Amino acid sequence: MGEAKRRRSSGQAGSERANAQRRLLLKRVGLGAIALLVIALLVLLAWPRQSQEPVELPTEAGRFPEEAEVFGVHLGNPDAPVVVREFADFQCPGCANFAQHHERLREEYIDTGKVRLVFFELPLPQHRNAMPAALAARCAGDQGNYWGMSARLFENQARWAAELNPLDHFVDYAKDLGLHEGRFENCVQREHRREQIEEAVVVARQLRVASTPTVFVDNRPLNRLGWEQLSATIEDQLARQR
C-alpha cells in the first residue's frame, strides 16, 4: 500500500474513531440530562406543600429524633423538660398567626426553664420570598438576633411578601435591631446560610412534614394551632414528668 493510501486509510479510521467517541460522549450527556430531569421531577413531587392541617410523624418513628435538632435554631434551656419543635415558612400567613404566641410562650415557659423551642425553617416553593426571609433570619442570627428578626418578618409579612426584591425591608429591620447593615446585607445577598436552611428542609422531608406551621410538643403534634392547645399540651407533658 502506498504512503498516500495509508494516510487516507489511517485518517479515515481516526476520523471514524473520533466520531464514535463524540457520539458516545453525546449519548452519556443525554443520559445524564435525562437522569437530572428525573431527579428534579422527583424532588418537586416530594417537596412539601402548604396546608393548614398539620402532619403527624411517621408511625414507625414513634418519637422526634433528637439528633435532627442540630439543624434547627434553639431558644431556651438545653435541659428544659419539654421541647416545642416548630416547622414554619416566614411567608406563610398561618405561621404568622401562630408566631403571635411566641412571646407568651417565651415569657411563661421558655424564660422559666420549662420549655426549649427548636425552630426549623421550611420555605415552600410557592412562596418566592420565603427563602430570602429565612436567610435574613439566619444572617441576623450571625449577629445574635435571630429571634428579633424572625419576629419582625412575621409582624410585617404583608409588607414584604409580594415584593420582587424584599431585601430593602430586611435591611430596615436589621437597622432597627442594631445590626451591622453591611455584614447583614452581604450575608443575605451571598446566601451564606442557605446550606443550613436546606438542611432544615431535609429534616422536614424525612419526617414527612408537609404543611406549615407544623408544631410538636415533645412527640405530640398539635392539631389546633392556638394558645389553648399549645399551653394545655405543654402542661400535660410537664405533669407526666413530675
Side-chain angles (χ1 to χ4, degrees):
M1 180 184 294
E3 182 66 22
K5 191 172 182 180
R6 280 198 301 272
R7 286 178 180 174
R8 285 195 299 272
S9 176
S10 176
Q12 290 171 354
S15 177
E16 289 175 358
R17 284 195 299 272
N19 288 334
Q21 290 173 349
R22 282 195 293 272
R23 286 194 297 271
L24 179 60
L25 178 59
L26 288 171
K27 184 176 180 181
R28 289 175 177 173
V29 170
L31 290 173
I34 292 171
L36 287 174
L37 286 172
V38 171
I39 292 171
L41 179 59
L42 290 173
V43 168
L44 286 173
L45 291 174
W47 195 283
R49 300 178 181 180
Q50 187 185 27
S51 167
Q52 294 306 313
E53 292 297 326
V55 175
E56 295 189 9
L57 287 173
T59 55
E60 65 270 21
R63 66 175 185 85
F64 194 102
E66 294 180 4
E67 59 273 16
E69 290 184 355
V70 69
F71 301 111
V73 182
H74 297 235
L75 179 64
N77 180 2
D79 298 320
V82 173
V83 183
V84 173
R85 303 172 177 99
E86 178 180 353
F87 291 83
D89 175 327
F90 284 110
Q91 197 175 334
C92 157
C95 299
N97 289 335
F98 185 79
Q100 295 176 16
H101 305 303
H102 283 173
E103 186 60 32
R104 189 172 179 183
L105 176 67
R106 185 169 188 163
E107 291 175 355
E108 296 189 20
Y109 292 106
I110 296 175
D111 290 347
T112 57
K114 297 176 182 178
V115 165
R116 174 166 54 92
L117 174 63
V118 185
F119 187 90
F120 297 87
E121 304 96 340
L122 181 53
L124 302 175
Q126 64 265 37
H127 288 158
R128 176 178 58 202
N129 290 331
M131 176 59 81
L135 288 166
R138 288 276 182 161
C139 289
D142 286 348
Q143 298 187 48
N145 215 329
Y146 181 95
W147 301 105
M149 179 59 73
S150 65
R152 280 165 173 74
L153 291 170
F154 282 129
E155 290 166 2
N156 298 284
Q157 186 185 86
R159 297 182 181 178
W160 57 262
E163 295 285 340
L164 290 176
N165 184 359
L167 182 59
D168 288 344
H169 291 283
F170 300 160
V171 172
D172 286 342
Y173 306 153
K175 185 188 302 183
D176 292 341
L177 293 168
L179 305 184
H180 188 288
E181 296 172 44
R183 282 175 53 198
F184 172 81
E185 186 170 1
N186 182 65
C187 178
V188 176
Q189 287 183 323
R190 295 182 178 273
E191 300 188 343
H192 286 169
R193 296 301 170 199
R194 187 181 185 99
E195 182 178 352
Q196 286 83 359
I197 297 165
E198 290 176 342
E199 288 171 342
V201 172
V202 169
V203 171
R205 289 180 187 160
Q206 291 176 342
L207 297 176
R208 302 180 189 175
V209 173
S211 64
T212 59
T214 290
V215 180
F216 301 95
V217 177
D218 288 339
N219 300 315
R220 298 168 61 179
L222 300 187
N223 53 30
R224 292 189 303 276
L225 296 170
W227 178 254
E228 183 177 350
Q229 190 189 41
L230 174 62
S231 59
T233 308
I234 290 172
E235 291 291 346
D236 186 56
Q237 289 298 104
L238 289 170
R240 290 168 183 262
Q241 300 182 41
R242 293 189 184 119

